[in-house]
Amino acid sequence: MKSTVLKHPMQPSPSSVWHCGFPLRLGVAVMATLLITSVTGCKQPPPAAQPPPIVQVMVVTATNVPLSTEFIGQLDSPQNVEVRARVEAFVDQVLFTEGTELKEGDPLFKLDDKPFLERLAAANGMLAEAKAALNKYEKDVARLRPLAEKRAIPQQDLDNAIASVDVGQANVLSAQARVESAKLDLSYCDVKAPVSGLIGAKLVSVGSLVGKGEPTLLATISTLDPIWFYCAISEVDYLRAQRIAGRKLGETRPELILADGSEFPEPGKWVFLDRAVDVSTGTIRARAEFPNAGKVLRPGMFARVRVSLKTEKDSILIPQRAVLELQGRNFVWLVGEGNRASQRAIKAGVQIGSDWLITEGLKTGDRLIVEGVQKVRNDAEVQPLTAAEMARNTAAAAGPAKEKE
């Protein structure tokens, strides 16, 4: 009996399975190949190496460095004379121009002198009366003396006459003093310049009552040539200046620097150093004198004096911005062989303007990084350029930008 195999209507024949399976396996392989190819194509190329950072360098050189110190102070006149009213009176005239140079004896004010003329006339009258009384007493003595010698009159009468002469002489002296006082008060009505100098603004006007109760300030005159510079020098600065200079501070020549930074052309000299340090401030009061023929310098101006102490020969001076501080130590960045940056500790001395005087750690020929230290790392390569080279690069980059505009 022959057996019969039943087939499912959807079951493929062996031949159809083989023909259909080849395309399926081929498609899977193609898809895998495309996937691998696509993944491989998405990979980014490795980034290009960054160029070394640009830094500005300077070549360290030795030079002669003048050491100096500065003190802050104020200018003042050697003589500020206050002109005050010495008598009580009204101002009749103002006889000067404010802010001008005056000579000693020049008229300044005229006060009302009529009351003082009256007092002088009364004092002269009293003097004349006293002189007349004295004359009478002297004649009485001359008349009574012979009679007393002949005992024609009592001796007491002669003694009284002589005493009257003494009183009369005293009265004359008193009257003369009143005349001199009246003349002096009258002279105070003509107010004159007590010294030569520059007068300031008038502080009273015509018609003002002055001298009532106290001497009224009328104006102030200041002598300006020479002029003084006052300052307070700290104890530390005083000792440091003398140690560096190797001589007394008073033997140095101060140079005056005005508030606008300009230097006064004439050097000065120290004329006073106080005997002791002020314990409340720790400073020594000092005074320097400067010629002022042109009257450019005025009292009250703030200024500085610079004192040259000595010159340090073959010294190294570098910009302050190139010096970095870390944990109380100073260091700088240098460019060595292969343009590689390295850090070096240094010792800085005194500060001179915007520079530091280096006492240890640098030598002539070192290439010092002065700009761009924040971009460098130890033993990393840099691109060193001098200030002139950086300026040329900046100018070259600015040229095309202007052409595009």
Side-chain angles (χ1 to χ4, degrees):
M1 182 175 176
K2 188 176 178 180
S3 61
T4 304
V5 179
L6 297 177
K7 293 183 181 179
H8 192 278
M10 298 298 295
Q11 182 177 359
S13 63
S15 60
S16 65
V17 170
W18 185 88
H19 289 291
C20 291
F22 176 75
L24 177 62
R25 288 195 298 270
L26 181 60
V28 171
V30 171
M31 291 179 63
T33 303
L34 292 176
L35 179 60
I36 293 172
T37 304
S38 63
V39 171
T40 305
C42 290
K43 287 185 178 179
Q44 298 293 331
Q50 293 292 330
I54 298 175
V55 294
Q56 180 181 331
V57 298
M58 64 170 284
V59 179
V60 175
T61 58
T63 183
N64 295 334
V65 179
L67 298 182
S68 62
T69 186
E70 293 184 356
F71 306 121
I72 300 174
Q74 193 171 14
L75 298 176
D76 198 5
S77 168
Q79 211 173 13
N80 293 312
V81 180
E82 295 180 342
V83 180
R84 294 182 178 271
R86 300 189 180 186
V87 292
E88 183 180 342
F90 290 95
V91 178
D92 273 354
Q93 299 177 49
V94 177
L95 304 174
F96 69 95
T97 302
E98 298 170 293
T100 58
E101 283 283 335
L102 298 176
K103 293 183 179 180
E104 183 179 353
D106 286 350
L108 301 179
F109 296 91
K110 176 66 177 177
L111 306 183
D112 182 16
D113 60 359
K114 291 186 288 295
F116 300 98
L117 290 172
E118 182 182 351
R119 294 176 192 175
L120 177 60
N124 283 326
M126 295 179 66
L127 175 60
E129 183 179 345
K131 287 181 176 180
L134 176 61
N135 184 49
K136 175 182 178 301
Y137 297 149
E138 289 174 343
K139 288 181 178 180
D140 288 344
V141 170
R143 187 180 67 254
L144 295 177
R145 189 180 297 280
L147 295 177
E149 291 175 352
K150 296 178 180 179
R151 299 184 181 278
I153 58 172
Q155 183 65 31
Q156 182 67 33
D157 293 345
L158 178 59
D159 294 341
N160 291 339
I162 293 174
S164 298
V165 169
D166 293 338
V167 173
Q169 289 175 343
N171 289 337
V172 169
L173 292 176
S174 179
Q176 286 177 338
R178 285 193 289 271
V179 170
E180 294 300 324
S181 177
K183 287 181 179 179
L184 187 61
D185 288 344
L186 180 62
S187 69
Y188 290 154
C189 292
D190 294 317
V191 183
K192 298 180 180 181
V195 295
S196 299
L198 185 70
I199 193 167
K202 67 180 188 297
L203 302 179
V204 295
S205 302
V206 174
S208 300
L209 177 62
V210 298
K212 184 175 178 61
E214 62 180 10
T216 305
L217 180 61
L218 306 177
T220 301
I221 300 176
S222 297
T223 57
L224 299 182
D225 187 23
I227 198 164
W228 285 348
F229 170 86
Y230 284 97
C231 65
I233 304 173
S234 71
E235 182 179 354
V236 174
D237 289 340
Y238 173 76
L239 295 174
R240 172 182 169 275
Q242 299 223 138
R243 182 182 69 256
I244 295 176
R247 53 179 170 161
K248 294 181 179 179
L249 183 62
E251 297 175 356
T252 59
R253 299 286 286 179
E255 299 174 354
L256 190 65
I257 304 173
L258 302 179
D260 62 352
S262 62
E263 295 185 13
F264 191 65
E266 298 288 340
K269 62 180 179 179
W270 295 105
V271 294
F272 169 72
L273 283 173
D274 209 347
R275 64 172 186 85
V277 175
D278 188 339
V279 295
S280 61
T281 61
T283 59
I284 301 174
R285 186 167 173 80
R287 181 176 70 234
E289 182 180 278
F290 291 88
N292 189 29
K295 308 299 189 300
V296 175
L297 306 179
R298 299 296 178 94
M301 283 184 172
F302 287 93
R304 294 172 291 150
V305 293
R306 182 174 55 232
V307 180
S308 297
L309 303 177
K310 71 174 183 178
T311 300
E312 287 281 0
K313 296 183 178 180
D314 298 329
S315 299
I316 293 176
L317 205 63
I318 65 173
Q320 184 179 358
R321 64 182 184 275
V323 180
L324 304 178
E325 184 179 354
L326 180 64
Q327 297 179 351
R329 299 179 60 189
N330 294 326
F331 65 91
V332 295
W333 285 95
L334 301 176
V335 178
E337 294 182 2
N339 289 338
R340 294 191 174 276
S342 62
Q343 192 180 95
R344 184 182 297 178
I346 61 167
K347 288 186 178 180
V350 295
Q351 184 177 353
I352 303 175
S354 60
D355 297 330
W356 278 106
L357 178 65
I358 305 303
T359 59
E360 187 178 322
L362 291 178
K363 64 182 183 298
T364 302
D366 286 340
R367 289 190 295 172
L368 175 71
I369 299 178
V370 295
E371 292 287 352
V373 293
Q374 70 278 4
K375 298 182 291 185
V376 302
R377 297 293 181 270
N378 196 37
D379 201 33
E381 186 180 355
V382 296
Q383 184 180 351
L385 297 177
T386 64
E389 291 172 341
M390 294 191 74
R392 286 196 297 267
N393 290 351
T394 302
K402 290 183 179 179
E403 292 177 1
K404 290 180 181 180
E405 293 177 358

